[in-house]
Amino acid sequence: MTGIDTSSGGPAAAPWPAPSARAAVDATVSVPGSKSVTNRGLVLASLAAEPGWLRRPLRSRDTLLMADALRAMGVGIEEGADPDGGGEAWRVIPASLQGPASVDVGNAGTVMRFLPPVAALADGAVHFDGDPRAYERPLGAVIEALRALGARVEDGGRGRLPMTVYGGGALDGGAVSVDASASSQFVSALLLSGPRFNQGVEVRHTGAVLPSMPHIRMTVEMLRAAGASVDTPESGGEPGVWRVAPSALLGRDLVVEPDLSNAAPFLAAALVTGGRVTIPDWPAQTTQAGDALRGIFTAMGGSCELTGAGLTLTGTGRVRGIDADLHEVGELTPVIAAVAALADSESVLRGIAHLRLHETDRLAALAMELGELGCDVTETADGLRVRPRPLRGGVFRTYDDHRLATAAAVLGLVVDGVLVENVATTAKTLPDFPGLWTGMLGQTAPAPTAARRA
């Protein structure tokens, strides 16, 4: 296997004992705001011509890294209680973007890809650095696109972090070709800043089929809501080409939707225990990839009902295998794979080769960790083949990947003795996941137990 570090690296950290469900789950779980919407909203508000609000934003590692990076370039972001009630709200006050500045991207794809085009608009140098894994994640398409549009970027020829963008206070923009087959974020990154480029931007995708198209649709929808003129293939434009006209952006009052992808483990809990879970405020219409869970988990044996109270998923006590192309919703794969490992028949998860370039090599990691617990999992060229077998407890390594940690928690509901390594990594997009999880079960959060993989 390639792409993940399987060495022991010394004594294992104290893992989290995943709680078991002693009965069918019956709970209502309020999921925090969408990371994808929050970080796009922060970028657009920072580039607007007037102040704006983000209400019910997600407060997590990825979103705080985005906010701190924008502050470093001069944007005012005031955090506090919503003056109109209803939780937290952030006031975003645009400013003339300035360097020198230093940006810590952590391991957040949205920060490392969305902000270099913003930095090209700053007056001065902006240096980007991040976690060790961030050095391995692809960024070259954004770097080369910025150079083609007139920006100066110094990356030592790596096409990856660390790097410095030397902003000139403006960017000509215009037409650029990008192979975004490794990440739809390459397209979104250029579109988000496009209204501020002197000529706008025309992004032409030149590679294989784009993954995660719902995220590009989210970017387009949010741009239009902020006043931008966007031409897309779906609106009658040229296939594989997106155009954003130069314009001023409006300061919006944006209410952030719940993160539907982060609802995946909670809905899965209903499916694998034959119970019922309701997620309040599930939108009737959305561009979030997580909305696909309704169809996927129905195909795997559950039933869904969307009402004014939210989305309720009810399990039947039976979990079916699935043959699914997850190309557009790859971020859902870890939890779907965990559910598939508990099914009564084989599953084939296809169209997700790009997951090898995410927070970790998710395909290799899932094959390894599910296999260690007894499942028969085979990597394919573009996905996973999951053949359920009786599972046993053990340490489930997460490789600092939040979605692997939540997948492990799903397994722990029905498999005794599952220990989740570094459950704290879930704070990347889902603050206090252990508290939400045990609250769903009506339990007290268990203390970590020191253990080592046998």
Side-chain angles (χ1 to χ4, degrees), residues 114-362:
F114 291 179
L115 288 188
V118 176
L121 298 168
D123 186 4
V126 181
H127 182 69
F128 290 81
D129 210 333
D131 296 352
R133 172 61 180 173
Y135 286 24
E136 302 172 17
R137 300 185 68 181
L139 189 58
V142 174
I143 294 171
E144 292 307 314
L146 285 175
R147 287 175 176 150
L149 294 172
R152 179 187 168 200
V153 184
E154 177 54 56
D155 67 337
R158 293 178 299 273
R160 300 176 188 266
L161 294 175
M163 69 175 189
T164 301
V165 178
Y166 293 90
L171 192 66
D172 286 341
V176 66
S177 296
V178 176
D179 180 353
S181 55
S183 175
S184 68
Q185 289 176 353
F186 298 162
V187 173
S188 288
L190 298 167
L191 299 183
L192 286 168
S193 293
R196 288 285 304 271
F197 298 165
N198 294 338
Q199 303 173 41
V201 71
E202 176 187 289
V203 181
R204 182 180 299 272
H205 169 59
T206 59
V209 178
L210 267 169
S212 306
M213 277 297 298
H215 287 98
I216 295 180
R217 289 192 283 269
M218 176 187 292
T219 297
V220 169
E221 183 178 276
M222 293 182 69
L223 275 163
R224 287 173 172 162
S229 174
V230 188
D231 182 42
T232 73
E234 292 87 351
S235 61
E238 187 178 349
V241 179
W242 292 260
R243 296 182 178 92
V244 181
S247 67
L249 293 174
L250 306 174
R252 293 191 61 202
D253 191 329
L254 173 65
V255 179
V256 178
E257 297 174 353
D259 194 312
L260 307 188
S261 294
N262 277 339
F266 302 100
L267 295 176
L271 187 57
V272 303
T273 68
R276 179 177 60 187
V277 168
T278 297
I279 308 295
D281 300 319
W282 195 284
Q285 293 186 333
T286 181
T287 54
Q288 288 194 59
D291 195 45
L293 289 166
R294 292 193 284 166
I296 293 168
F297 282 166
T298 296
M300 298 187 82
S303 63
C304 288
E305 183 181 16
L306 184 60
T307 68
L311 179 72
T312 299
L313 188 141
T314 304
T316 62
R318 178 190 176 193
V319 180
R320 297 194 293 261
I322 191 173
D323 187 326
D325 186 339
L326 303 179
H327 190 71
E328 291 204 342
V329 295
E331 66 200 58
L332 306 178
T333 299
V335 165
I336 293 170
V339 173
L342 301 170
D344 61 8
S345 58
E346 178 178 299
S347 291
V348 178
L349 309 180
R350 297 178 284 105
I352 45 178
H354 60 285
L355 295 189
R356 294 187 170 99
L357 301 172
H358 278 220
E359 280 81 346
T360 188
D361 180 340
R362 284 179 172 164

Side-chain angles (χ1 to χ4, degrees), residues 408-421:
V410 171
L411 295 170
L413 291 172
V414 293
V415 179
D416 286 336
V418 174
L419 302 169
V420 184
E421 177 200 69

Side-chain angles (χ1 to χ4, degrees), residues 32-35 38 56-60 63 90 256 259 429-431:
S34 164
K35 180 258 299 188
T38 298
R56 301 183 193 172
L58 174 67
R59 173 179 287 275
S60 72
T63 61
W90 295 354
V256 178
D259 194 312
T429 61
L430 190 54

